[in-house]
Each structure stands twice: as C-alpha cells, then as structure tokens.
Amino acid sequence: MPTITIDDKKVEFENGMTVMQACELAGAEIPRFCYHEKLSIAGNCRMCLVEMEKGPPKPVASCAMPAGDGMVIKTDSEMVKKARKGVMEFLLINHPLDCPICDQGGECDLQDQALHYGFDKSRYEENKRAVKNKHMGPLVSTIMTRCIHCTRCVRFSTEVAGVDDLGLLGRGENAEITTYLEKTIDSELSGNVIDLCPVGALTSKPYSFKSRPWELTKTETFDVFDGVGSSIRVDTRGKQVLRVLPRINEDTNEEWISDKTRFAIDGLSRQRLDKVYIKEDDKLKVSDWDSALNKIKDEINKRGKDKTISLSGKFTDAETIIASKLFSQGLGSDLFDCRFDNAQIIHGENESYKFNSSIQEVENADAILLVGSNPRWEASVLNARIRKAFIDNNCKVGLIGPSLDLNYSYDKISESLDELNNILDKKSKFSEVLFNAKNPLIIVGTSAINTNEGSSVLKICAEIAKKLPNFSESFNPLNILNQDISRVGSLELGFVNKIFDEDLEKKLKEEITLNKPVVFLLGLDEINPRSLEGSFVVYCGHHGDVNAQHANIILPTPAYTEKSSTFMNIEGRTIQTSRCHNPLGDAKEEWKIFRVLSDLLNCNIEFNNLNDVRKKLINENNNFLAILEINNSSTLSFSSKEQIKNQNLSYNINNFYMNDSISRSSETMANCTHEILNKAKAS
C-alpha cells in the first residue's frame, strides 16, 4: 500500500483517498466547513489548508488534493496556522456575530473553529453585507447573512435528496444561496440541510427559540414512523420532546432522517389520551383504571372469552404483541391480526414479508423492479439509497404501478400486476434489463400485496427472483417494503390468523355480527369504524384519533418516546427504543394492562416485569435475541408461476406528512400538507 508522511508520522492509505482522509488516518484533526463525507468535494471554504513539501509554495486544500505515495504533509506549521487564521478572518468579515440569539449557538462549527483559528478582533472597518432571508417552507428557517457559502445544502439537495430547489446565484460578495423562485423545498429529506449547515444560516423553524442544547436531555433511540427504524437522538426538556436528530448508522439511514421523523414530534403533545374513559349514555366520560378493567372483565365474560379479538396498529411494539397474544390464547381465542391493510403473506415463510437483501445492499444494485411501491413516501431514507444506485451505478429502475414523482428516472412498465407474468416469461421490455443485470433487486410494496392477488404477486415475484443472476443461498434479491415499524415483528411473532387472509374488514364484520365480542384495538386507527359496529371496543392508544372516538373504553398508553420497546425493522433487524421521558397523565404500558386483565380473568400469562416479557418474546422467536442483527433466509420455497389477472394498482399512502395518529396531530405536518402537497396538486 502507498504511504504518506503526516507531521513526521508515516501512514498507509488506500488509492483514491484525499490528503484530508489520510490526515485523519494519522490522527491529525483538519478543520473544515464545506467538506462532508457523503457529498461531492467543493473546496469552497479553504479552512482545510495544509502544507505540502516539494509542492506549491502555498498551502493546499487537503479535501480536494489526492493523496500520493511519498507525500510529506504538515498540518501544524506556521504557514498553515497563518493561512487558517486568514481564512477565518475572511469568513467573519460579513458574519453578523449574533451568537446570543442564534439557534446554532453551542453547536456551531464556526464558533468552535473561530476559537482555535480566529483573531480576537477584526481589522475590517467597512460596512457588513446584509442578505434577505429566503422562504424555504414551513420547516427550514433562514438567516442568510450568516451564510459562508459552503454549499453543503445545495449539494445535499441535488445529490442526495434529488431536487434542484437550492442553488448558488451570483459571484464573490454578491453570491447567495437561494431557492431560485422562493419556493418551498419539495423533498421529504429537506430537514437534513439544518444538520449540514455549519453555521446558523439554516435552522429548524419549529424549534426556533425553544431552548439551548445544554438545557436538553439527549437520548439515543430509534425512529418508528416507517419500517426502516432509523437511528435517532431525541432531545427532551421535562416531558416535552423538543427535537429529533439523526445518528450515524451505515446499515440503515446513513446519517439522514425523513422530515416526518424530525418534525412530527409536536404531535406527541397534541390530542393526547392521558385519562381513562368509559362510554356512558353514548358519551365518553373520565373514569379510573379499576372501573375500566373490571368493566372489560365483565364484558369478556358476558360476550365469550374465546370470541375476543385483538388487532394491532402502526406503532405496536413487540412487547405489546406478545402480551396480547398470550392473553388471547389464555382466553382460548386465536382471533388476532396485524394486517389492517389486508396485506397478504405466505404463512410460515418469513421471506414473504421481509426486505431480504438488506437496506445497505440497495446502493449496489444496477437494476431495480418496483412493484406497487412508492419508496419516496414509504421509506424516504431507503429511497435515497435507490437514488445513490441510480447516480453511482447507472441503476435502471422499472415501475409497475401508477406514475410517480420520484427523484430519479425510471421506466414505467405497466399499471397492471399481470405484467409480472410477461417479465417472468421474458416478454416484457424490462425483462432483458432485469435478467442481464449483475445485481438486480425486486422491491414489492404493500400496495401490491393488499389486493386479492396479493399472495400470487408474492409467489410470482419469488419465481422471478430465483431466476435472477445474483440469487444464491447467501443472497435473496426479493424485498418486501412494509410501511410500518410494527409489521415485521408482529408477523415474526405469529400475530395473524388465516381467517383474516382475504379481507380483514369483511371477516371482522362477520365475526362481530355473529358473536358481538370484545375487540381490543392496539393503537389501530386505520380500520373503518363501521366494521366494528355491534362489538365492545377497547381502544389502547396514545392519541384521540379516529377509532378512539368510537370506543366503549379508552385506555391511555405511552407513545414511543415514553417507553422502552422492541421492534423489528423491514430487514428483520431487532431494535430497542429507549424511554426519553415519563409517560403523560395516567398512561400505562400495554403489557401491564394485559397482565392485570389476565389476573381478573384467571388466565395467568406469567410475567411480572419488562424483562419477563422480553424472555417470553425470545421464547416465541429467538430472532429477537440478536439486537441489531439480521437473520434472513434465502430459499424462496413458496415461489411458483402464478397467473395474475389484470389488476390495476393504487398506492395506499395519499399524504406522506399525515398518515398516522401522531403526524395527524402535528401542526407542523399540517402546514407541510398545506404548503407542499396541496400547492403541488393545485399546480
């Protein structure tokens, strides 16, 4: 391997590295503003200057200089120190120095580096330049006089988010970062420019003037707003979540999060259920836990223990699932399910509901077949991987489904699922692309499998996958993109019943008409309330959403930031969230509710604390034991050549910003819907 000398220390480096990367290998800290590992190199700020022996008689920008064998670099010479001080002085010529009122204060790269490389006073007496603030929508606040033109935001928007809304206009002192036509940034990842901005030019509009970073309690946890399970940090003060930031995790979200993950948190404090309610005289009235639980006991005994039904929602954790399942089985009932959208699976085959190839593998693909999936709305950070594959590998993307506004080019194959037959028989134009690719993938959305043809779609997609060149015992190119964080874990725990396979709402209505049972809704608001008529509904949830209004009893439960929970992401990777603050009001964790009910109904489910619940979880499925690991198979034994009827698709997400109980309660998400989606439809 080639070697380079950094401050009299020899280090080996890989070909293609820059001098800056080689310096980091040697342990030398290089200041920077414009450079970012995930973005293209700009070389704008010049803070990363180093001295190169036998090179130019001036400092060189280490971020843009390729490392060469035998180079001798100095990072702390007098020339370097003087150059960096000069650069810092130039950067501060027009900066307003308004740190006391800046939301970036305490987390500002400019503050930190000015301390080390700046002068104690400025030599410039000219008037400072002022720049008008730009309108970037309801999420990003702008104070553009602070901007140092590093262009990180421009490069992120263009390269990662895939929207050309941001750009640099003008030259020299007249240069400005702007949205061209003063329009809202039309991207589900727009909030990441806030993290990328090294100064306070771009800050969070909902978080403006809320707190200082040192006032906040910081908790590392995971996101629950989609199936990816992005690594995040939740910052709280008391019982209020003030902001959410991404954590680096190359396996899932890299260092990005979606705007919903970041900004829907104001919904955690709105429309919350924090009291027990019992419906009397057709009105919900505040009650207490003892009265409610005894009422539930009486109703279950009256209506039949073995007829009790449990249905889970978008945010239902694995602890709740296993507690509910054991409780139902203790009553003699197996009427439980998690597929409120009628998504079909192949029973006993976990490959029929997992993202089998892994999220990280997406960026290596050179051909992707999307079947009934809108990844831009279903999993925004996963879609960023597809775009990366499109840019880096010239990945060809084919779509079966209605046209989409994706941030990369794709071939519209058909809107009908029967085109899968032609792809398998190599009669489709995209067949040649798919079967001749080196690393092809198939991504099937739940919109494709929540139809009557759902199981056939899975079988024929599995058949196509087995014929792809990269299918092997160690690699499975078939991927199911579940939209909800609860789905894979629930299916792994067997929280399904074949009776609900074809049409859950229809079968549910039949059961209710026949038996009039007690129905537990575990945070489920995505089911038509009319299908519950005649039953005794117990709603366990944290928001007063659709079905809470129709419940006979409401039991308040904590939101995802208020408890430690286990989930399994789309890959089958087990993650555990952390409690960030105490629950609101009288909320109690779901497993505690089922534990008390089991005593009242004499069906002991034998756990007394969270550790006991997790032992039951692991006993049911030992995949929950391996935290953050993937344990997927690659057999696709359920594959077959199915004949799919002409079946047109429609996507089951109509609004990215408000498609769950938390985001529907969010004022920020309502503003995004109004300013981004509604304006887009109007135009």
Side-chain angles (χ1 to χ4, degrees):
M1 291 182 71
T3 61
I4 187 171
T5 303
I6 311 285
D7 297 334
D8 300 324
K9 181 180 178 181
K10 282 191 176 184
V11 293
E12 293 182 341
F13 66 93
E14 295 179 6
N15 288 323
M17 279 188 168
T18 63
V19 171
M20 177 185 282
Q21 291 170 321
C23 288
E24 290 178 341
L25 289 177
E29 185 176 345
I30 307 296
R32 81 289 300 268
F33 288 116
C34 68
Y35 177 80
H36 192 277
E37 305 80 33
K38 299 292 182 180
L39 305 176
S40 61
I41 296 171
N44 292 334
C45 72
R46 320 307 285 186
M47 270 305 293
C48 64
L49 296 174
V50 297
E51 183 181 352
M52 184 170 68
E53 288 189 3
K54 299 179 182 180
K58 61 181 182 180
V60 297
S62 60
C63 70
M65 175 64 68
D69 189 23
M71 275 186 176
V72 179
I73 302 295
K74 294 181 179 179
T75 67
D76 58 355
S77 66
E78 286 302 314
M79 178 196 286
V80 171
K81 291 177 182 178
K82 186 177 179 181
R84 290 175 181 173
K85 284 183 179 290
V87 170
M88 180 58 66
E89 190 173 9
F90 274 114
L91 290 176
L92 294 176
I93 288 175
N94 289 312
H95 198 81
L97 301 178
D98 56 350
C99 301
I101 62 165
C102 179
D103 272 327
Q104 197 84 352
E107 305 175 312
C108 179
D109 291 346
L110 190 65
Q111 278 184 335
D112 296 339
Q113 294 186 41
L115 178 66
H116 291 281
Y117 306 104
F119 288 100
D120 59 350
K121 59 183 177 182
S122 176
R123 294 177 289 174
Y124 293 85
E125 297 179 355
E126 290 82 6
N127 291 330
K128 293 194 176 206
R129 179 194 68 159
V131 182
K132 289 184 179 179
N133 295 333
K134 313 300 180 186
H135 175 73
M136 294 188 182
L139 303 178
V140 182
S141 179
T142 61
I143 304 89
M144 301 311 295
T145 304
R146 300 172 184 161
C147 180
I148 62 170
H149 305 150
C150 71
T151 69
R152 279 186 179 184
C153 55
V154 176
R155 285 175 283 148
F156 172 82
S157 299
T158 305
E159 297 166 12
V160 180
V163 295
D164 295 325
D165 291 342
L166 284 177
L168 181 69
L169 296 180
R171 296 185 67 187
E173 194 164 89
N174 296 318
E176 293 184 32
I177 301 289
T178 179
T179 55
Y180 298 121
L181 300 175
E182 297 286 317
K183 68 183 285 290
T184 300
I185 303 175
D186 185 15
S187 170
E188 297 74 30
L189 300 171
S190 65
N192 291 288
V193 299
I194 298 167
D195 303 327
L196 289 171
C197 184
V199 297
L202 304 177
T203 56
S204 171
K205 190 173 285 187
Y207 177 67
S208 292
F209 310 120
K210 292 285 182 65
S211 76
R212 288 298 193 183
W214 54 84
E215 300 173 345
L216 303 175
T217 300
K218 303 169 179 65
T219 308
E220 294 186 349
T221 184
F222 295 90
D223 174 48
V224 300
F225 282 101
D226 58 35
V228 173
S230 301
S231 296
I232 59 173
R233 192 190 84 195
V234 175
D235 292 356
T236 58
R237 186 172 60 195
K239 289 187 177 183
Q240 188 177 10
V241 178
L242 291 183
R243 65 177 182 176
V244 169
L245 300 174
R247 292 189 292 126
I248 297 176
N249 188 337
E250 294 296 338
D251 292 329
T252 52
N253 58 301
E254 298 181 272
E255 53 188 280
W256 322 122
I257 54 173
S258 74
D259 287 349
K260 186 162 64 174
T261 299
R262 187 186 299 269
F263 295 111
I265 53 172
D266 63 321
L268 291 169
S269 58
R270 291 184 169 89
Q271 293 184 229
R272 287 298 302 268
L273 299 174
D274 58 357
K275 300 287 185 185
V276 177
Y277 292 89
I278 297 179
K279 184 171 286 184
E280 296 176 2
D281 300 325
D282 216 31
K283 292 183 179 179
L284 287 167
K285 298 180 180 180
V286 175
S287 185
D288 59 82
W289 278 100
D290 287 341
S291 300
L293 294 175
N294 279 298
K295 177 73 172 174
I296 295 169
K297 178 197 73 173
D298 295 339
E299 291 293 334
I300 289 176
N301 284 328
K302 182 171 70 176
R303 297 168 182 264
K305 291 182 178 181
D306 60 340
K307 309 301 182 185
T308 304
I309 300 173
S310 294
L311 303 171
S312 66
K314 287 177 173 285
F315 301 128
T316 313
D317 54 68
E319 288 86 355
T320 301
I321 292 294
I322 191 65
S324 176
K325 182 180 179 180
L326 293 174
F327 174 71
S328 295
Q329 291 174 336
L331 295 175
S333 172
D334 60 355
L335 297 172
F336 39 74
D337 213 298
C338 61
R339 299 168 297 164
F340 52 82
D341 55 357
N342 293 317
Q344 306 299 299
I345 63 166
I346 310 299
H347 290 275
E349 302 285 350
N350 59 17
E351 294 171 278
S352 70
Y353 54 80
K354 285 185 179 180
F355 203 90
N356 296 291
S357 70
S358 83
I359 294 171
Q360 198 171 28
E361 191 62 34
V362 170
E363 62 189 58
N364 298 322
D366 54 358
I368 296 176
L369 174 63
L370 297 176
V371 183
S373 177
N374 179 1
R376 185 171 175 181
W377 281 8
E378 293 170 11
S380 302
V381 293
L382 172 67
N383 192 60
R385 299 262 194 183
I386 299 177
R387 175 168 172 80
K388 187 188 288 190
F390 172 76
I391 294 173
D392 296 346
N393 308 333
N394 194 26
C395 179
K396 308 297 183 185
V397 181
L399 174 68
I400 296 180
S403 298
L404 292 169
D405 181 16
L406 296 175
N407 47 19
Y408 42 83
S409 300
Y410 65 90
D411 296 324
K412 172 84 175 286
I413 303 172
S414 176
E415 290 193 11
S416 177
L417 287 170
D418 60 354
E419 184 65 19
L420 289 169
N421 296 312
N422 293 330
I423 291 176
L424 178 62
D425 296 334
K426 299 185 179 181
K427 297 178 181 179
S428 172
K429 291 181 179 179
F430 199 74
S431 296
E432 185 177 351
V433 173
L434 197 64
F435 289 107
N436 290 337
K438 292 182 179 179
N439 295 300
L441 297 178
I442 302 171
I443 298 178
V444 183
T446 52
S447 298
I449 59 175
N450 63 5
T451 66
N452 293 333
E453 299 284 334
S455 59
S456 297
V457 170
L458 287 172
K459 291 175 182 178
I460 196 169
C461 284
E463 187 71 16
I464 296 170
K466 288 176 76 170
K467 295 182 181 299
L468 295 179
N470 56 343
F471 175 80
S472 67
E473 292 182 0
S474 58
F475 186 81
N476 187 344
L478 176 65
N479 301 288
I480 314 303
L481 179 51
N482 284 292
Q483 299 166 7
D484 308 315
I485 191 67
S486 66
R487 181 61 54 85
V488 172
S490 299
L491 293 173
E492 282 288 285
L493 293 169
F495 202 74
V496 292
N497 192 313
K498 291 183 179 181
I499 194 173
F500 298 121
D501 272 0
E502 294 182 2
D503 190 331
L504 186 142
E505 288 194 10
K506 180 183 177 182
K507 296 294 183 181
L508 180 63
K509 187 64 181 174
E510 291 175 0
E511 284 289 328
I512 289 173
T513 302
L514 184 64
N515 300 310
K516 297 181 172 53
V518 173
V519 178
F520 285 89
L521 298 182
L522 307 176
L524 176 58
D525 295 288
E526 286 69 33
I527 193 169
N528 190 342
R530 291 184 178 179
S531 59
L532 302 170
E533 292 176 355
S535 65
F536 187 87
V537 178
V538 180
Y539 183 87
C540 303
H542 39 74
H543 278 77
D545 211 64
V546 180
N547 283 320
Q549 303 171 37
H550 299 274
N552 298 93
I553 289 180
I554 294 175
L555 303 178
T557 61
Y560 78 102
T561 57
E562 300 162 12
K563 60 180 177 179
S564 176
S565 302
T566 305
F567 296 94
M568 197 172 272
N569 80 342
I570 54 175
E571 308 166 285
R573 191 188 303 273
T574 301
I575 57 177
Q576 283 186 349
T577 65
S578 302
R579 176 187 278 199
C580 307
H581 60 93
N582 292 327
L584 299 184
D586 296 334
K588 296 186 185 295
E589 293 173 54
E590 292 89 341
W591 67 265
K592 293 180 180 178
I593 297 171
F594 288 113
R595 178 65 181 87
V596 176
L597 283 173
S598 73
D599 283 346
L600 292 174
L601 290 158
N602 299 316
C603 56
N604 188 15
I605 51 181
E606 298 179 352
F607 53 72
N608 296 306
N609 52 53
L610 185 58
N611 286 334
D612 289 346
V613 178
R614 287 177 172 167
K615 287 178 183 177
K616 294 285 184 183
L617 196 62
I618 295 167
N619 289 339
E620 187 78 10
N621 191 310
N622 59 15
N623 286 341
F624 285 95
L625 181 61
I627 305 296
L628 298 179
E629 295 183 9
I630 301 175
N631 184 19
N632 289 344
S633 59
S634 183
T635 60
L636 296 178
S637 57
F638 58 90
S639 66
S640 68
K641 187 175 180 180
E642 298 276 323
Q643 285 299 315
I644 301 174
K645 302 174 184 176
N646 190 336
Q647 176 93 44
N648 286 337
L649 283 167
S650 61
Y651 302 114
N652 53 12
I653 296 184
N654 299 314
N655 182 349
F656 166 76
Y657 297 102
M658 302 181 76
N659 71 327
D660 56 72
S661 61
I662 299 176
S663 60
R664 283 192 289 267
S665 303
S666 167
E667 184 178 351
T668 305
M669 294 294 97
N671 292 336
C672 289
T673 300
H674 173 73
E675 192 158 337
I676 300 174
L677 292 187
N678 292 350
K679 285 186 178 180
K681 290 176 183 177
S683 62

